[in-house]
Amino acid sequence: MSKKIFLSIFLVSTFFLLLSLFVVSGVLYTEFLENEKNYLWSEIKFIKEVLIQNDVAFSKNLKDSSYRLTLISDDGKVLFDSKANVSEMENHSDRHEIQKAKKIGSGESHRYSNTLMEKTIYVATQLPSKTIIRISTSINSIWSMILELIPSFIFIFIFLSIFSGILSHFLSIHIVTPLNNLNLDDPISNKIYDEVSPLLSRIHQQNRKIKQQMTELQQKVDENINAQNVRAEFSANVSHELKTPLQSIIGYTELLENNLVKPEDTSRFISSIKKESQRLVALINDIIHLSQLDENEEVKFEKTNLDEIITETISLLKSSAIKKNITLNFTNISRSPFIYAVPLYVQEIVYNLIDNAIRYNKKNGTVFISLKPGEKGKIVFTVEDTGIGIPQEDQERIFERFYRVDKSHSRETGGTGLGLSIVKHAVQIHKAKLKLFSQVDNGTKISVDFIQ
Ligand code: ADP
């Protein structure tokens, strides 16, 4: 860039230098021409004086002077010429300076001389005797004066060119250095040329955009990695969770097959096989539900009756509640039980929460289920139990896939470790809010605020 600036400044200054030399030559030419004319005029005045006082023949002595003298009669006939043969000269009455001298006493002109074959300046004046005297000189003398100046011009030109080259070099460095020192990390902090400001503010905007895009990209990468980790962890957990009941089933059947079970224990073994198979089915069902939720397919929202779903779920879970002598208590004081939702997912929420409240309850406990009006026209579905509760440190994690506070207790009660993660997912799809309150040994209260 500095090379370009240097060349531009240098070429422009050289061009103007040359131009000014031409202009100066022109001015000098006009000046010299004027000088020459003035000189001729003063000479002709002098000659006129001499001629008036003396004889015309005096003029013939002027043959060797630096200018040419011509005497012309009133009718244009050339009487005498100091540089040419009079007999060969034509009538001069049509010459501009002669006509002027006849008309107003004196005249001047410059043109190409047919007699001397060169550009000439003429001045003419008329004597009282009507004879016209004319003196002239060649313009070539002016050009030769200018030519004499040319070596000086060349010297001046070379000197000024070198000078302008050095100046251009320093100027280009002076212009480019601030640009090279720009702080592009913070472009608007630079205070250099006004012309560069729009560019700097654009770089600033671009920087901000790039930073923003980088952050978004990083977030996406993080989310992706996170999702990949979750998936990998989930697959590992799934295979482990599936293998455990299958291995138990295989173990029990092998013992039975090889008659290694006492006849009185056979029914216990068979019911264990049934229990493990049921767990397997429950696990597969939960995995299917979760993957359906994960697929994020277009789900159909429709008018859903919460009261109806709760009542149906209670009747489904009644037998397991009775086994532990647990009372299921449902109250509905909502203004309307209807929400706009995906019925299947609402069933998942209601079933898993009531199922957990029974499974993690104590014997003879109670499960309070309610539907109440919430803030901002919401409806709150709450399941509260008098069970074992969840320790504070586990409360955040119980919504993770396969996370259980007490693995053996969950397994014993037929849990899969997926119920609450299905609940969390289904709640998110409905843009509802999930709240958990739990105290170890006192019980757990989980509520969902549905938008109505
Ligand atoms: P699980 O099939 O094991 O019940 P969930 O995802 O439904 O899996 O629940 C995760 C864990 O949260 C359970 O293993 C249990 O430890 C704890 N939990 C869930 N609900 C309750 C509750 N009502 N009372 C006490 N602990 C609970």
Side-chain angles (χ1 to χ4, degrees):
M1 184 179 172
S2 69
K3 236 183 206 168
K4 249 189 170 173
I5 296 177
F6 165 77
L7 265 178
S8 315
I9 301 174
F10 182 65
L11 287 178
V12 169
S13 55
T14 312
F15 169 74
F16 278 104
L17 194 62
L18 271 174
L19 193 72
S20 55
L21 285 181
F22 278 115
V23 172
V24 166
S25 308
V27 170
L28 281 179
Y29 174 79
T30 343
E31 203 56 36
F32 285 160
L33 193 71
E34 210 51 43
N35 269 353
E36 209 62 23
K37 271 186 200 164
N38 290 342
Y39 168 70
L40 287 179
W41 276 117
S42 60
E43 276 301 295
I44 207 166
K45 253 188 208 159
F46 169 71
I47 295 169
K48 189 179 175 184
E49 287 304 313
V50 173
L51 284 180
I52 290 169
Q53 285 163 29
N54 301 291
D55 199 82
V56 169
F58 157 82
S59 58
K60 288 170 185 156
N61 299 325
L62 287 168
K63 250 187 172 137
D64 297 328
S65 71
S66 62
Y67 46 82
R68 173 183 163 205
L69 175 81
T70 316
L71 291 176
I72 299 137
S73 72
D74 192 29
D75 56 2
K77 194 174 172 246
V78 180
L79 304 171
F80 166 79
D81 194 288
S82 62
K83 297 268 163 76
N85 192 349
V86 175
S87 57
E88 286 166 15
M89 287 171 76
E90 58 188 36
N91 191 295
H92 270 41
S93 55
D94 62 339
R95 306 295 197 269
H96 179 73
E97 69 281 0
I98 305 296
Q99 282 176 352
K100 266 271 173 81
K102 273 164 77 178
K103 231 186 210 169
I104 54 168
S106 60
E108 64 173 53
S109 78
H110 59 272
R111 63 169 185 279
Y112 188 80
S113 158
N114 286 334
T115 315
L116 299 182
M117 318 257 270
E118 56 189 9
K119 263 205 124 183
T120 314
I121 327 168
Y122 300 96
V123 299
T125 190
Q126 195 164 36
L127 295 172
S129 62
K130 296 284 180 205
T131 304
I132 294 160
I133 49 170
R134 182 183 79 172
I135 56 172
S136 59
T137 187
S138 154
I139 287 178
N140 282 352
S141 59
I142 295 175
W143 283 120
S144 60
M145 272 195 276
I146 291 174
L147 274 177
E148 269 172 34
L149 287 176
I150 280 184
S152 317
F153 277 5
I154 291 173
F155 173 74
I156 291 171
F157 176 76
I158 291 172
F159 173 75
L160 286 181
S161 291
I162 293 170
F163 183 68
S164 101
I166 294 169
L167 209 69
S168 307
H169 172 71
F170 284 111
L171 257 177
S172 60
I173 288 176
H174 180 74
I175 293 170
V176 171
T177 307
L179 292 173
N180 284 336
N181 293 337
L182 279 178
N183 174 11
L184 289 180
D185 291 331
D186 185 11
I188 45 173
S189 69
N190 300 293
K191 299 272 174 280
I192 52 163
Y193 312 119
D194 288 348
E195 292 78 1
V196 188
S197 295
L199 175 73
L200 291 176
S201 65
R202 274 198 38 205
I203 295 175
H204 174 69
Q205 281 168 359
Q206 289 289 337
N207 277 359
R208 267 183 33 192
K209 232 187 202 167
I210 291 168
K211 257 186 205 157
Q212 201 182 325
Q213 282 170 350
M214 285 291 286
T215 323
E216 281 169 15
L217 210 71
Q218 190 60 47
Q219 266 169 3
K220 273 189 192 148
V221 169
D222 288 350
E223 273 169 27
N224 233 346
I225 291 172
N226 210 23
Q228 269 175 10
N229 287 344
V230 168
R231 265 202 297 275
E233 201 181 323
F234 182 62
S235 317
N237 280 333
V238 165
S239 52
H240 173 76
E241 295 290 334
L242 288 174
K243 265 185 201 159
T244 318
L246 276 174
Q247 268 159 357
S248 304
I249 293 169
I250 292 167
Y252 291 141
T253 47
E254 270 174 2
L255 288 174
L256 285 168
E257 194 182 30
N258 297 322
N259 292 323
L260 292 170
V261 183
K262 287 183 204 153
E264 61 267 31
D265 290 335
T266 311
S267 67
R268 196 167 54 81
F269 268 69
I270 290 173
S271 67
S272 290
I273 292 173
K274 189 185 167 194
K275 206 174 163 191
E276 291 297 335
S277 307
Q278 280 169 339
R279 244 174 60 73
L280 216 51
V281 171
L283 192 64
I284 290 167
N285 276 336
D286 277 356
I287 291 169
I288 290 169
H289 290 151
L290 252 184
S291 63
Q292 277 171 346
L293 285 163
D294 273 347
E295 273 167 18
N296 244 341
E297 270 179 25
E298 279 285 303
V299 279
K300 226 177 127 202
F301 278 70
E302 54 192 81
K303 199 174 172 187
T304 307
N305 188 338
L306 258 178
D307 188 296
E308 214 174 87
I309 291 176
I310 295 167
T311 315
E312 275 169 17
T313 312
I314 288 173
S315 62
L316 270 177
L317 289 166
K318 206 159 226 161
S319 61
S320 52
I322 289 168
K323 272 182 205 159
K324 284 171 86 176
N325 196 27
I326 287 166
T327 315
L328 299 179
N329 185 324
F330 174 40
T331 44
N332 178 0
I333 52 162
S334 68
R335 284 179 295 262
S336 153
F338 290 104
I339 56 167
Y340 195 64
V342 187
L344 192 75
Y345 295 168
V346 176
Q347 275 166 21
E348 294 280 357
I349 297 171
V350 173
Y351 184 92
N352 280 303
L353 290 182
I354 301 177
D355 183 39
N356 280 352
I358 297 168
R359 280 192 294 115
Y360 301 103
N361 217 321
K362 295 170 189 163
K363 267 204 167 150
N364 310 318
T366 311
V367 177
F368 300 97
I369 305 149
S370 64
L371 272 183
K372 288 179 194 160
E375 285 174 351
K376 294 177 191 164
K378 283 180 181 165
I379 182 164
V380 189
F381 163 61
T382 311
V383 180
E384 189 172 357
D385 63 54
T386 52
I388 56 170
I390 306 159
Q392 189 68 36
E393 64 270 22
D394 296 307
Q395 289 184 8
E396 279 253 318
R397 303 203 58 192
I398 53 167
F399 297 96
E400 289 174 17
R401 294 171 182 192
F402 294 114
Y403 187 83
R404 297 150 198 175
V405 177
D406 180 349
K407 230 173 189 165
S408 61
H409 183 81
S410 162
R411 190 159 290 161
E412 232 170 71
T413 57
T416 60
L418 293 174
L420 285 183
S421 50
I422 292 174
V423 169
K424 187 183 167 189
H425 222 328
V427 163
Q428 274 170 355
I429 286 174
H430 287 92
K431 295 196 169 60
K433 262 215 174 102
L434 194 76
K435 279 180 204 152
L436 165 79
F437 179 77
S438 185
Q439 264 183 334
V440 175
D441 270 346
N442 273 339
T444 303
K445 181 178 166 182
I446 298 181
S447 63
V448 184
D449 290 20
F450 283 105
I451 303 167
Q452 252 180 326

